[in-house]
Amino acid sequence: MKSRRAGWLAVATLSVGVATAVAQETVNLDVVHRIRDEALQNSKVMDHLFYLTDVHGPRLTNSPGYFKAANWVVTQMQSWGIDARLDPWGPFGRGWEYTHFSADLIEPSPASLIGVPLAWTPGTNGAVTGDAIVAIIANDADIERYRGKLRDKIVFLGTGRELTMRTAPAGTRYSDQQLSDIASAPAGGRGANVAPGARAAAAGAGPGPAGAPAAGQAGQQFTARLNRFFADEHVLAVARIGGGQSEGGTIFVQGGGSRDPKEPVAPPTFALTPEHYNRVLRLLDRGIPVKLAVDIRARFVDDRTDSANVVAEIRGRTKADEVVMVGAHFDSWHGGTGATDNAAGSAVMIEVMRILKALNLPMDRTVRMGLWGGEEQGYFGSQAYVTQHFGDRRDMKLKPEHAKFSAYFNIDNGTGRIRGVYLQGNDRMRPIFEEWFRPFADLGAGTISIRNTGGTDHTTFDAVGLPGFQFIQDPIEYDSRTHHSNMDVYDRVQAADLRQMAAIVASFVYNAATRPDLLPRKPLPAAPQPAAGRGGSN
């Protein structure tokens, strides 16, 4: 009974505090109207997206496309009178790009196969023709079973996958009930993680449900041994089945080799759509020989091992040493042009900066944008920036800039419009966000969740005790069609959603840059945080 009474008192105290915070939080509706009008009626966000995708995409970290796109952003920002630069970090490792891929079934009957090379694997040095063979290799004993059997073969690494008819729609928006569920406090208490969705399953292009090497450091070491074995065997190329929900010509694909030039080079490796992969396996299973022709033109880029973020800022007027940040990861995978992951978020943040500059809004604090590299490999770009400017999560030694930081707002969940925000356990932000969202209720936004969400760059800020937030976005086709796939292209982006996002983020940034105080924080983490890992990748 005592604990229940204490809970009532805590709720009552919190209610008083919330009421006070709401009463104190003010929103300049005249400015919000101007931001909305510029974002919705004079939008340039799809122009930004066009240059990031159709012109300069994809943007694999340290690839030529990445730096072409980054330099375009810097030039564009400077043309608007915004200070912008490339901000180096590293080391990252070698770059990589491919310029051509073809795979064709020659025998028993000709057919063009749908596929994508895996990043950081070499080309074939011209077209190669060879017999297909299936190899199930998950450990060292398997390597020995195939020794001497793979020379001049095109190896299909792993089993196929049975496909079933899809009955669920590929694209969805959150229902009211789903938003209500997201808004409810989790059973695990304040800030418990959002349950993982299908994204983790859709992330890679592994060799299939069987014959897949283990994950983690042990898996990396085994992969190095496997690559040495393939080199000793003189295999022509390796085919894998597309990862995750690959089917119907859509292939989810990531990397297949190492960025470290000291590591053994993988063989030329590509992923196929499951329908085409399965066809080859059925033929071989019936004892019918299969001959293929493969031509991959890919190269490693070794002229720089460091990478760079894109950083731009609009200087504040009266509190210029205090900072509000917006950001998104700039790098992508290479199967498509990185449109929903994450040119969409990057284009929105570029548009936010354009809006604030075009309206010449007086802001007390400096507004800074960071477009991060190396997110897909482990949040490398944002973590390097946070470590340099604010503090190192490994020892929690904080820099002077830490005390002058207000908040970081991130976009990295595809093309879906903003429906709300994750508090990351920072419940002192709830009444503030409620007031900030109020002018956008007609645009479908306003859900506030105490939960943590991971998988993107706001976590590097949160790890050192800074307010870092990722917005809740409609799923659209992110997990089912575009996330790390060859269909992550301009045409899958919803223009109206990007305009809505730009309006909301620009308004939030203005509010944070002009309110009397810095935004409230959670207590600092009690212990040093482990280095960021990839886990589920956005």
Side-chain angles (χ1 to χ4, degrees):
M1 189 67 175
K2 181 178 180 181
S3 61
R4 182 178 299 177
R5 180 175 298 172
W8 290 339
L9 289 174
V11 170
T13 303
L14 177 61
S15 299
V16 172
V18 167
T20 302
V22 170
Q24 293 175 345
E25 195 66 25
T26 59
V27 174
N28 188 328
L29 295 179
D30 289 336
V31 171
V32 170
H33 169 76
R34 292 178 62 196
I35 289 173
R36 279 185 55 138
D37 190 61
E38 180 69 20
L40 302 180
Q41 305 303 322
N42 192 36
S43 176
K44 303 296 186 294
V45 70
M46 296 303 287
D47 293 339
H48 314 327
L49 185 83
F50 166 75
Y51 281 99
L52 296 181
T53 57
D54 288 346
V55 178
H56 297 304
R59 303 170 310 283
L60 190 71
T61 300
N62 268 23
S63 69
Y66 180 90
F67 287 105
K68 289 177 183 177
N71 286 324
W72 175 83
V73 176
V74 170
T75 299
Q76 190 65 44
M77 288 280 174
Q78 291 174 346
S79 74
W80 297 330
I82 297 174
D83 292 334
R85 68 185 189 280
L86 295 187
D87 190 51
W89 59 269
F92 173 76
R94 63 203 320 196
W96 180 89
E97 69 171 350
Y98 87 96
T99 56
H100 174 81
F101 169 80
S102 64
D104 295 281
L105 190 66
I106 305 300
E107 295 176 3
S109 58
S112 295
L113 305 180
I114 300 174
V116 178
L118 271 62
W120 289 289
T121 65
T124 53
N125 195 27
V128 296
T129 302
D131 295 328
I133 185 172
V134 179
I136 311 299
I137 304 177
N139 52 50
D140 292 314
D142 291 335
I143 288 178
E144 294 308 314
R145 286 199 301 119
Y146 287 99
R147 192 171 296 278
K149 299 177 181 179
L150 305 182
R151 186 180 183 90
D152 295 333
K153 296 291 195 297
I154 296 173
V155 178
F156 277 61
L157 185 60
T159 62
R161 176 163 63 89
E162 182 179 357
L163 302 178
T164 58
M165 181 181 68
R166 287 192 181 183
T167 57
T172 59
R173 293 191 183 275
Y174 281 129
S175 66
D176 291 343
Q177 182 59 54
Q178 287 172 315
L179 290 172
S180 177
D181 292 342
I182 293 171
S184 64
R190 175 192 298 178
N193 286 330
V194 175
R199 184 175 306 126
Q217 185 175 4
Q220 293 174 357
Q221 293 170 349
F222 174 74
T223 297
R225 295 194 297 275
L226 181 61
N227 287 337
R228 290 191 191 96
F229 167 67
F230 284 142
D232 293 341
E233 290 287 298
H234 299 283
V235 302
L236 295 178
V238 172
R240 294 185 174 190
I241 193 169
Q245 299 189 58
S246 299
E247 64 177 73
T250 297
I251 307 168
F252 295 89
V253 60
Q254 294 182 198
S258 175
R259 307 185 308 275
D260 186 347
K262 300 184 185 69
E263 290 289 325
V265 177
T269 308
F270 59 98
L272 290 176
T273 189
E275 294 89 343
H276 291 172
Y277 192 95
N278 289 347
R279 178 182 179 182
V280 172
L281 266 59
R282 284 194 299 270
L283 289 166
L284 295 175
D285 189 54
R286 297 293 186 93
I288 300 173
V290 175
K291 188 179 293 292
L292 298 105
V294 178
D295 188 2
I296 303 173
R297 300 170 202 166
R299 70 183 183 101
F300 293 98
V301 183
D302 292 317
D303 58 348
R304 58 175 119 193
T305 57
D306 285 352
S307 192
N309 301 316
V310 181
V311 175
E313 71 175 31
I314 301 172
R315 192 76 174 160
R317 300 194 178 189
T318 61
K319 301 177 182 179
D321 59 338
E322 297 181 359
V323 176
V324 178
M325 286 197 72
V326 295
H329 79 82
F330 195 63
D331 62 314
S332 76
W333 287 105
H334 59 288
T337 56
T340 68
D341 188 27
N342 185 31
S346 296
V348 166
M349 296 314 183
I350 293 168
E351 178 72 350
V352 165
M353 298 295 282
R354 185 198 68 81
I355 290 169
L356 296 174
K357 185 67 176 180
L359 296 179
N360 195 28
L361 297 174
M363 294 182 292
D364 300 320
R365 296 181 178 88
T366 293
V367 173
R368 186 175 299 155
M369 178 190 76
L371 302 181
W372 315 114
E375 189 269 356
E376 296 292 0
Q377 291 74 42
Y379 321 120
F380 292 148
S382 64
Q383 184 165 284
Y385 186 89
V386 167
T387 300
Q388 178 184 357
H389 290 273
F390 306 118
D392 192 331
R393 63 193 295 160
R394 294 169 297 185
D395 58 20
M396 290 305 294
K397 293 181 180 178
L398 305 181
K399 306 289 180 66
E401 291 177 69
H402 190 279
K404 299 291 187 177
F405 189 84
S406 186
Y408 171 75
F409 300 102
N410 194 77
I411 291 286
D412 179 24
N413 278 318
T415 182
R417 65 182 175 177
I418 289 173
R419 306 303 303 276
V421 69
Y422 294 103
L423 294 178
Q424 295 295 127
N426 186 356
D427 51 13
R428 295 176 64 194
M429 285 297 303
R430 182 183 297 276
I432 297 170
F433 281 147
E434 285 175 347
E435 292 304 304
W436 290 7
F437 269 126
R438 205 174 300 279
F440 298 99
D442 62 320
L443 297 183
T447 298
I448 299 173
S449 174
I450 192 66
R451 301 169 186 247
N452 295 334
T453 186
T456 193
D457 293 290
H458 72 288
T459 59
T460 63
F461 292 82
D462 185 68
V464 295
L466 295 173
F469 304 102
Q470 164 66 34
F471 291 96
I472 301 167
Q473 296 174 250
D474 277 331
I476 311 297
E477 305 168 311
Y478 197 55
D479 288 338
S480 62
R481 180 174 282 155
T482 65
H483 181 243
H484 300 176
S485 86
N486 60 330
M487 290 297 145
D488 191 7
V489 294
Y490 179 98
D491 298 273
R492 307 318 311 177
V493 172
Q494 306 298 310
D497 288 18
L498 264 59
R499 291 194 291 267
Q500 183 252 30
M501 284 191 269
I504 291 173
V505 176
S507 176
F508 275 40
V509 169
Y510 174 81
N511 292 337
T514 57
R515 70 191 306 270
D517 301 316
L518 297 172
L519 289 170
R521 303 179 178 186
K522 300 182 293 186
L524 283 172
Q529 303 297 299
R534 230 6 273 155
S537 163
N538 277 359

